[in-house]
């Protein structure tokens, strides 16, 4: 399984940002509401982050030597996939709400309330935390290399294997 690439996360975030901006532009100019998630979705985001960290901690404890029982390889693989999905979902949330924020800032002079701005900022922060947790838990799943000099089997830097 390949590691997360910052370029892909950035590309996903930019595509979601463009989509968020376009949808918000169309919606607000045609009398519809702002297409942002409600602030209560931060509770769901927190639950996803907590679950990812709990499973990641189990893999990390095993990786660091607490091996009183064998690590289920399916659990380790699912933890890795969950971490990567968390990072991508965070990139989508960050991008979407950044696109909405950009359009809402332009409309601030004609709006009577700035609630959509604060909601977008809060959901962007949740997306950033999801990306960070995804990257950290992905690193938890990486096995340390067995080499002393840090070189992989091909003589270069290895990406490391996953638990």
């Amino acid at each position: 399984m390949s590691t997360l690439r910052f370029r892909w996360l950035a590309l996903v975030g930019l595509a979601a940002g463009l989509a968020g901006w376009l949808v918000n532009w169309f919606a607000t100019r045609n009398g519809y509401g702002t297409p942002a998630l409600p602030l209560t979705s931060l509770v769901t985001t927190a639950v996803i982050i907590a679950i990812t960290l709990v499973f990641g901690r189990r893999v990390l404890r095993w990786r660091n030597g607490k091996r009183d029982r064998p690590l289920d390889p399916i659990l380790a693989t699912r933890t890795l996939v969950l971490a990567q999905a968390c990072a991508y979902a965070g990139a989508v949330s960050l991008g979407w709400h950044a696109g909405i924020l950009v359009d809402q800032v332009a409309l601030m002079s004609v709006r009577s309330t700035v609630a959509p701005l604060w909601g977008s900022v809060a959901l962007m922060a949740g997306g950033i935390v999801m990306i960070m947790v995804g990257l950290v838990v992905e690193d938890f799943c990486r096995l340390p290399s067995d080499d002393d000099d840090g070189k992989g089997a091909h003589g270069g830097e290895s990406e490391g294997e996953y638990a």
Side-chain angles (χ1 to χ4, degrees), residues 38-97:
L39 285 177
T40 56
S41 66
L42 288 174
V43 174
T44 306
T45 300
V47 169
I48 291 169
I49 289 169
I51 290 170
T52 305
L53 285 172
V54 166
F55 285 126
R57 187 170 177 266
R58 290 177 69 186
V59 173
L60 179 66
R61 286 181 56 188
W62 182 87
R63 187 188 82 175
N64 287 341
K66 187 163 174 61
R67 298 181 177 160
D68 50 346
R69 55 187 163 157
L71 179 66
D72 181 15
I74 299 297
L75 172 75
T77 304
R78 287 179 180 165
T79 302
L80 176 63
V81 170
L82 177 63
Q84 291 182 350
C86 185
Y88 280 116
V92 169
S93 179
L94 173 63
W96 180 267
H97 291 97

Side-chain angles (χ1 to χ4, degrees), residues 9 32-33 61 68 75 91 97 108 116 120 161:
L9 287 173
Y32 298 105
R61 286 181 56 188
D68 50 346
L75 172 75
H97 291 97
M108 211 163 69
S120 291
E161 295 181 37

Side-chain angles (χ1 to χ4, degrees), residues 61-145:
R61 286 181 56 188
W62 182 87
R63 187 188 82 175
N64 287 341
K66 187 163 174 61
R67 298 181 177 160
D68 50 346
R69 55 187 163 157
L71 179 66
D72 181 15
I74 299 297
L75 172 75
T77 304
R78 287 179 180 165
T79 302
L80 176 63
V81 170
L82 177 63
Q84 291 182 350
C86 185
Y88 280 116
V92 169
S93 179
L94 173 63
W96 180 267
H97 291 97
I100 290 173
L101 180 71
V102 166
D103 193 49
Q104 291 296 315
V105 166
L107 296 173
M108 211 163 69
S109 62
V110 296
R111 293 233 173 191
S112 61
T113 179
V114 293
L117 295 177
W118 293 114
S120 291
V121 169
L123 290 161
M124 287 170 55
I128 291 170
V129 173
M130 285 182 81
I131 292 169
M132 291 172 31
V133 166
L135 291 171
V136 167
V137 171
E138 182 192 41
D139 191 53
F140 288 174
C141 295
R142 185 171 290 122
L143 290 174
S145 69

